[in-house]
Amino acid sequence: MAFDENLKVWMDGEFVALKDAKINVLAHVVHYGSAVFEGIRCYETENGPAVFRLQDHVQRLFDSAKIYKMDIPYTQEEICDAIVETIKVNNLKGCYIRPITYRGFGELGVNPLNCPVETTIAVWEWGAYIGEEEMEQGANIGISTWRKPAPGTLPVLAKAAANYMNSQLANLEAGEHGYDEAIQLDYHGHVAEGSGENIFIVEGNKLITPDLGSSILRGITRDSVMTIAKDLGYEVSEETISRERLYLADEVFFTGSAAEVTPIRAIDNRQIGIGSRGPVTKELQEKYFDAVYGRSEDIHNWLTFVE
């Protein structure tokens, strides 16, 4: 992925060219990973660029910051407005959006309270996260030896930078073994999520996804797909999922702001269902893209138009 160094990023109220956007090497975030962030997408619709579930993402950013006692010195409305302005300034019709709040330079030491809380927003063009071909044919996935943190270690409901060191290990291992991505188990050995995605299995006309007690992020795309599935008449359940149920499922797919709705064709070299995108995944994928691209009525008020 190549970045245009002249892209404008929003840094605490000012627009700065990406090449000039800098933080101090002694910033707390560099040494201790003290940051929370969001991944959001803006889609090109017939009525102009539209950000998908902007307010929900910003709410989760503030929730993550609250868990880590980071007081963001802006209101949620101000961050939403800054995101829209950043898209406008860069004249992008469709893009990925990364707001990140982090501890800056104050003093070193584990205690972060004497370090300022700073926020940056960046936008860039980004296609299918796992791959364009995999969106139709399905991804080849392996179950990682690296498990998700247990409760009482790291709060997984916070979308925090430090959590993704765990995800990196799983993703690196998957690549070394020839897989497109990893599935991680929780501390009990039950299915949790991908390294950066939530996961669903399909059994007949029932969709099942791990519950929030399975060390997963409360995914916004996850919630969107659950809502769409219920609108279509599917039964949707959040529950504990054993590893072997993945192998026996009719269909399995990932969801996420980056991954969108990505089917899975194989797990641990075992074919899943028909070995490519199944009919339920296809329907949900199509309805999801209808929603984000504004091709269907926005009955849930998910779109925020940039213009």
Side-chain angles (χ1 to χ4, degrees), residues 141-154:
I141 307 299
I143 294 179
S144 178
T145 62
W146 295 99
R147 295 195 176 184
K148 298 294 290 186
T153 56
L154 285 173

Side-chain angles (χ1 to χ4, degrees), residues 1 80 209 226 262 274 282:
M1 183 194 313
C80 287
T209 191
M226 291 169 68
T262 301
I274 61 175
K282 183 176 185 291

Side-chain angles (χ1 to χ4, degrees), residues 135-280:
M135 294 295 281
E136 180 175 346
Q137 299 303 321
N140 180 29
I141 307 299
I143 294 179
S144 178
T145 62
W146 295 99
R147 295 195 176 184
K148 298 294 290 186
T153 56
L154 285 173
V156 295
L157 285 183
K159 192 172 176 67
N163 293 7
Y164 284 80
M165 292 298 285
N166 173 261
S167 297
Q168 283 181 50
L169 291 170
N171 185 272
L172 286 168
E173 181 184 58
E176 289 165 357
H177 293 165
Y179 296 119
D180 297 316
E181 177 57 296
I183 292 171
Q184 293 186 264
L185 307 179
D186 69 10
Y187 65 106
H188 284 307
H190 300 134
V191 176
E193 57 188 0
S195 73
E197 311 88 2
N198 291 120
I199 192 168
F200 286 80
I201 66 174
V202 179
E203 295 177 345
N205 283 323
K206 182 178 181 180
L207 272 70
I208 305 154
T209 191
D211 58 30
L212 295 181
S214 297
S215 293
I216 70 166
L217 181 70
R218 192 196 302 265
I220 291 171
T221 307
R222 171 182 178 269
D223 177 74
S224 303
V225 169
M226 291 169 68
T227 300
I228 291 169
K230 290 174 183 176
D231 290 345
L232 293 171
Y234 289 103
E235 181 183 355
V236 180
S237 176
E238 298 176 72
E239 58 189 69
T240 299
I241 300 175
S242 63
R243 176 175 179 163
E244 61 269 23
R245 284 178 76 183
L246 293 172
Y247 304 143
L248 302 179
D250 297 319
E251 303 175 37
V252 183
F253 61 89
F254 280 141
T255 63
S257 294
E260 298 167 308
V261 180
T262 301
I264 295 172
R265 60 181 171 83
I267 300 173
D268 290 344
N269 298 313
R270 294 167 172 85
Q271 179 176 305
I272 304 302
I274 61 175
S276 62
R277 181 179 58 186
V280 175

